[in-house]
Amino acid sequence: MPQDQTDVPFMKMHGLGNDFIVIDRRHRDVPVTAALARALGDRRRGLGFDQLATIDPCDGADARLTFWNSDGSPSGACGNATRCIARHLMDEGRDAVTLRTDRGDLTARDAGDGLTSVNMGAPVLDWRSVPLARDVDLDHLPLDGDPVATGMGNPHCTFFVDNVEAVDLDEIGPRVEHDPLYPERTNVQLAQLTGPDHFRVRVWERGAGVTLASGSSSCAVAVAAARRGLTARRVCIDLDGGTLWIDWREDGVWMTGPTAHVADGLIRADWIAGQS
């Protein structure tokens, strides 16, 4: 419950339909619990989102970001939300920003033409840090479909398929998300190569389900494809909600795409009080 017992301002944003509620805590403490995140994430009884993000002050960076999934579980990274918040902060008068996350310090900048780029950091390619339950070949996991494991702040499992529309994402997504090989669950991607360095991708996010887009998942697909020798390190990703451009460089995996700040509103204090 907010210390001053007043309504809480929020922003509604999305990146290609991957939608967020953002609470800016740089000037006011607003405690967020798993129960509150879960209640807010309910699309019928709350506000509804794929992820909830908070913005906090941070020494050594422009802001500290923390993420929750709609089921109330923590999310270590959220690339589309990071881009949306970066754009919001740059609109306050900055040309570029550094954002501290559980993933580390991420740099974002204006890419022109209404696009925003963020460096999501180097991919995690050690089985302990993804994390996986045991030492296996990350490029060829011992699961049906021969997927690839990648860490991008969140665990990822990428399946390369001939036709993403022919695979039942609602079935494979939750099954793989909860596979014992992934002790912290995993995001799941179906990736179809549609042209040179060009993919059609569908995503199941752990703790959220099918989503129109996912930035960290898109980064994981690009890294997995390059490791498999399917593409170069710079690829175009067509998701259900639109297109992202991913570039795996020496300094990290850069993601570029559009952002949308949809609305500002207030969460009633009396409603928050009832969610404990």
Side-chain angles (χ1 to χ4, degrees):
M1 181 69 188
Q3 293 178 349
D4 57 6
Q5 309 291 304
T6 59
D7 298 346
V8 174
F10 72 91
M11 297 175 281
K12 180 63 181 283
M13 301 178 173
H14 76 84
L16 303 177
N18 183 198
D19 65 329
F20 323 104
I21 294 298
V22 181
I23 298 175
D24 191 341
R25 306 194 295 192
R26 287 177 294 169
H27 306 294
R28 174 184 174 189
D29 181 28
V30 180
V32 175
T33 64
L36 178 58
R38 187 165 52 251
L40 284 170
D42 190 314
R43 293 192 183 274
R44 293 186 180 273
R45 296 180 174 86
L47 291 170
F49 53 75
D50 289 329
Q51 278 81 35
L52 168 69
T54 56
I55 308 174
D56 290 290
C58 181
D59 291 336
D62 291 289
R64 163 74 164 142
L65 307 185
T66 306
F67 307 106
W68 289 264
N69 295 312
S70 58
D71 69 351
S73 61
S75 179
C78 185
N80 282 323
T82 301
R83 283 191 305 104
C84 287
I85 294 169
R87 170 56 60 186
H88 171 67
L89 296 179
M90 287 189 288
D91 286 345
E92 295 179 346
R94 302 169 173 88
D95 294 327
V97 293
T98 299
L99 302 172
R100 185 156 297 165
T101 71
D102 289 346
R103 174 82 174 121
D105 285 0
L106 308 181
T107 300
R109 66 190 184 200
D110 183 2
D113 297 324
L115 303 178
T116 302
S117 294
V118 61
N119 183 350
M120 293 295 291
V124 175
L125 303 176
D126 174 78
W127 70 271
R128 297 176 184 84
S129 300
V130 170
L132 298 177
R134 62 186 187 276
D135 187 0
V136 295
D137 182 355
L138 270 64
D139 292 330
H140 298 278
L141 294 180
L143 299 176
D144 290 343
D146 190 29
V148 180
T150 310
M152 286 299 311
N154 293 320
H156 294 277
C157 187
T158 303
F159 292 83
F160 294 103
V161 300
D162 293 332
N163 183 354
V164 297
E165 311 300 341
V167 181
D168 187 352
L169 183 57
D170 287 312
E171 186 281 325
I172 193 174
R175 173 166 54 83
V176 175
E177 175 189 355
H178 295 278
D179 190 279
L181 184 60
Y182 284 90
E184 295 182 7
R185 302 185 294 166
T186 184
N187 291 6
V188 181
Q189 302 89 37
L190 304 176
Q192 173 189 347
L193 190 64
T194 57
D197 302 328
H198 201 140
F199 279 101
R200 168 77 174 98
V201 173
R202 300 197 68 214
V203 178
W204 176 277
E205 284 193 319
R206 64 172 182 170
V210 175
T211 182
L212 293 179
S214 170
S216 64
S217 289
S218 297
C219 293
V221 169
V223 170
R227 285 159 52 199
R228 280 276 183 96
L230 300 176
T231 64
R233 288 190 169 206
R234 185 171 184 173
V235 299
C236 179
I237 305 283
D238 292 328
L239 299 131
D240 287 347
T243 301
L244 291 172
W245 293 267
I246 311 297
D247 190 0
W248 182 12
R249 307 177 191 173
E250 291 301 318
D251 64 343
V253 184
W254 283 85
M255 173 184 56
T256 301
T259 62
H261 186 154
V262 179
D264 300 319
L266 294 171
I267 307 169
R268 289 180 57 97
D270 56 350
W271 184 87
I272 294 176
Q275 307 310 313
S276 59

